[in-house]
Amino acid sequence: MATPSKKPSSSSPQASKRPHPRDSSAEVPNKRKSSTPSAPPGPPPPLPPPPAPLQSSGPFVEGSIVRIAMENFLTYDICEVSPGPHLNMIIGANGTGKSSIVCAICLGLAGKPAFMGRADKVGFFVKRGCTKGMVEIELFRNSGNLIITREIDVSKNQSFWFINKKATTQKTVEEQVAALNIQVGNLCQFLPQTSCKEKTEYLEKMIQRNERYKQDVERFYERKRHLDLIEMLEAKRPWVEYENVRQEYEEVKLARDRAKEEVRKLKEGQIPMTRRIEEIDKQRHILEARIKEKATDIKETSQKCKQKQDVIERKDKHIEELQQALIVKQNEEHDRQKRISNTRKMIEDLQNELKTTENCENLQPQIDAITHDLRKVQDEKALCEGEIIDKRRERETLEKEKRSVDDHIVRFDNLMNQKEDKLRQRYRDTYDAVLWLRNNRDKFKQRVCEPIMLTINMKDNKNAKYIENHIPSNDLRAFVFESQEDMEVFLKEVRDNKKLRVNAVIAPKSSYADRAPSRSLNELKRYGFFSYLRELFDAPDPVMSYLCCQYHIHEVPVGTERTRERIERVIQETRLKQIYTAEEKYVVKTSFYSNKVISSNTSLKVAQFLTVTVDLEQRRHLEEQLKEINRKLQAVDSALIALRETNKQLEHKDNELRQKKKELLERKTKKRQLEQKISSKLGSLKLMEQDTCNLEEEERKANTRIKELNVQKAKLVTELTNLIKICTSLHIQKVDLILQNTTVISEKNKLESDYMASSSQLRTTEQHFIELDENRLRLLQKCKELMKRARQVCNLGAEQTVPQEYQTQVPTIPNGHNSSPPMAFQDLPNTLDEIDALLTEERSRASCFTGLNPTVVEEYTKREEEIEQLTEELKIKNVELDKYRENISQVKERWLNPLKELVEKINEKFSNFFSSMQCAGEVDLHTENEEDYDKYGIRIRVKFRSSTQLHELTPNHQSGGERSVSTMLYLMALQELNRCPFRVVDEINQGMDPINERRVFEMVVNTACKENTSQYFFITPKLLQNLPYTEKMTVLFVYNGPHMLEPNRWNLKAFQRRRRRITFTQPPQ
């Protein structure tokens, strides 16, 4: 293991600028690379002679630590440690502050913070929450002890140094420490915890040069060529866009001019049509005025004709009335003669009938008997009708009651449907199973109850929450069976065949429904209980029995807010297992081991299923009541049928008696009626004979009047004929005018149609012209924008012209300016599609060159320049190197031989220590190239088992304990050869097995407790039992914790004095 070459330098910046003293403290030469480029490294100067023994005036040697004081340092407020001159065992639990003492030694003797592996700034070693900290180290010196004080300022991360209470510099402190042969940066003298545990390895990453710089540069320039082509394509694209838009602009401009000329021609073609339409309108107005005049004349003539026709019609009507009046008089005379003849015949018939009429005095007894029978039938009929009315009223009452009961049953069914809807929404499988059960009840031998949530009927809705919180939802949706066989049939059909997830339970064989609670409710009322759970609802006997057996609802009381207020008293006094208050559920248990009462409470959940109350008993009562009403209705209907039949018979008998009575009464009054009729007919005959009329005179008067009316009528017809001729002539003239007007209107309509077609074409053309003009302006603006963008791409100003050498053609811009794309564009595509396709291709190619850095080219160029410079320098240096090699070969002989002798002595001590442990180990000087002096190092090889070979000590091959043993024995091998005031080893025994730890401890004690040896600090959190101890050992115990005395109340020296006094005054045993 090459130890020196791997460890970093631990000296301070000031110490690194001066040579370290080459005395006995350097177990192995400190190899370093030369900082001067012109002087390559060579072998160091020869080793000094072996060191003299350490000076001592008493137990302490020169440079040993006499006292360590800490204030606000890491875990300590104020602490002072007085180590012994030989082996100091510092023991304490992890985290108590053992390593803090090591940190104090390192920092107090000008060591760097990074060497401890805790922090890189000294301010981090001050106790959290404090602004300043202090470390003071007192070193033994024959001329007078040396007291080094280091004060640390957290805010500035700065240290202030004092020697013997006088301010000084860190450099002075380092010189004083070095004069005492103390090297806190040397792992062979000062081994902190992080180095022992190898938490931080000597890892250095070699920076590899990029051997593909040239290839990367070529790829960079290849990518740049693609990017340049992309830039040219992107620059040409706006020019191509501009040219396309410009051509489109020219096309639109030509189309706009053509549309403008077409609009002009259409407007000129409409002028003759407009003039002709105006002339036709004037002609039409004249014709319409003449037609209107003829219509007025026709109307007046027609009015006169109508008047004449009315007079003629009145004359015809008068003649008709005279003829009709004559006919009426003739008919009246004819009828009078006929009535007289009929009346005489009727009188004769009545007189003959009067002679044949019998005497009616003997008919009265028969009429009286029929009247008596008729009255009796009417009384029976009235009684029957009264009974019918009563039955009808009774039937109406029953119908009303039936409707009321039906309404109640419907309301119950609606509530039941609500419960079933909730079941269907939450547990669809259970609902389907309920429907199947209702259709297949004949398959079961005993009673099967539907799910408990459907059969339970709450007496009060507000109490539903207690039941739902007490009975799990799985049982609320369970079917209840009285027979195991029925349940198996049900589950086989529903679960196995229909694949429905349902629950089923069996009610106890002996009913629990009526079991009395163990405690009377009256005893519990004083605690606020008002009922047991069983009394809050109704349910079928199997359901109630199952709930009492399974959930003891007859034993669980329900209380009020008053119960909750005194719940502790209720639990202690009643010893109830379950209790319900207004809003909580309490479960009380007794511990099996301690017999203590343990209670837990939970808030009640809101009821979801049992809030709908359906009184099934009341519903059954209503169904029975409905059956009774239907039975009464059937009885009433039967009675009504019988009464109607009786009433029908009485009605028939009443009609027969009335008919007989009517016939007898008619026979009794017939003679008197005949005499009255004969008398009346004779009077009528006399009046008809007196009313006579002269028909001949009436006919003569009527004919004379008709002749006079016909003469007047002939005169009126002649006048009417003349008026009709005039009216016909006017109509002919009007029709001729209308035909002329129609011809004019037809011509006008044709002209207007042509005009409308022309106007429509004109509007379309004008709209097309406007659209083309707007498109022209839009394209003109777009041309300007594209030209502006193209000039910006080519870095040309608004008025700047393109140089001739970059021009291929000079297109004219619509605004009058001339411009052209660069000549480089002539080899590129001339269409947007080709440009876009090529752009896509080039971008894809450019995107393939990933991971390229522009700085690579710069670095590559700089490196080429540096290579040229270094080539020249190497030529010069090679000449100088030949000279140095001659000198090195001479110095090597003086340096290497003493070094090998020193390593051989270390190897002898190291091998002896390993042999005493029945193991093997050796140390040698190792290098791969004798000329590479900075690669020289110490190689340690060890063997812990007889069956293995010697292996180099590495972090990977040996275990942590084996590495710790090897490190400790190497330090002990240096003990005789390397004289230093003290050594510090922190937790070196961590990871050792008990056997090795005991052997190593014995070696440390034997070596460190000899006369005139270095002071030893051995830090460990634990030790084995029955280890050997000597009088020269000092054991320091580190305690820490919340019960420690405050620093200002603890006096270590006074405690030691009292302890010694007690020791000296103990009586002899």
Side-chain angles (χ1 to χ4, degrees), residues 232-284:
M232 292 295 294
L233 289 169
E234 290 177 346
K236 181 172 182 178
R237 195 178 191 284
W239 291 96
V240 175
E241 286 182 341
Y242 162 75
E243 184 61 26
N244 292 341
V245 174
R246 188 189 65 79
Q247 292 176 3
E248 185 180 357
Y249 168 81
E250 294 296 339
E251 293 173 359
V252 170
K253 183 179 178 183
L254 292 175
R256 169 194 173 267
D257 294 340
R258 288 195 296 270
K260 184 176 181 181
E261 180 63 22
E262 188 176 354
V263 168
R264 185 186 63 77
K265 291 179 179 179
L266 288 173
K267 287 183 177 180
E268 291 178 354
Q270 283 184 339
I271 295 174
M273 286 190 288
T274 305
R275 293 175 181 172
R276 179 57 185 164
I277 289 171
E278 291 176 356
E279 293 175 357
I280 291 174
D281 279 337
K282 293 179 181 178
Q283 185 178 359
R284 183 174 60 83

Side-chain angles (χ1 to χ4, degrees), residues 838-897:
L838 187 55
L839 268 175
T840 303
E841 180 181 353
E842 291 299 320
R843 284 169 180 164
S844 299
R845 290 179 178 177
S847 63
C848 295
F849 295 90
T850 57
L852 296 179
N853 191 347
T855 58
V856 171
V857 179
E858 298 177 3
E859 292 178 0
Y860 181 80
T861 305
K862 290 179 181 179
R863 194 172 300 280
E864 288 290 332
E865 296 174 357
E866 290 178 2
I867 288 173
E868 293 178 1
Q869 294 176 0
L870 289 175
T871 303
E872 296 296 328
E873 291 178 1
L874 281 175
K875 292 179 181 179
I876 300 172
K877 295 297 180 184
N878 284 331
V879 177
E880 296 178 357
L881 180 60
D882 293 338
K883 295 180 181 179
Y884 278 112
R885 282 176 178 170
E886 293 178 3
N887 295 331
I888 288 172
S889 61
Q890 297 174 1
V891 176
K892 179 180 178 181
E893 295 296 330
R894 298 194 302 269
W895 166 78
L896 186 58
N897 292 331

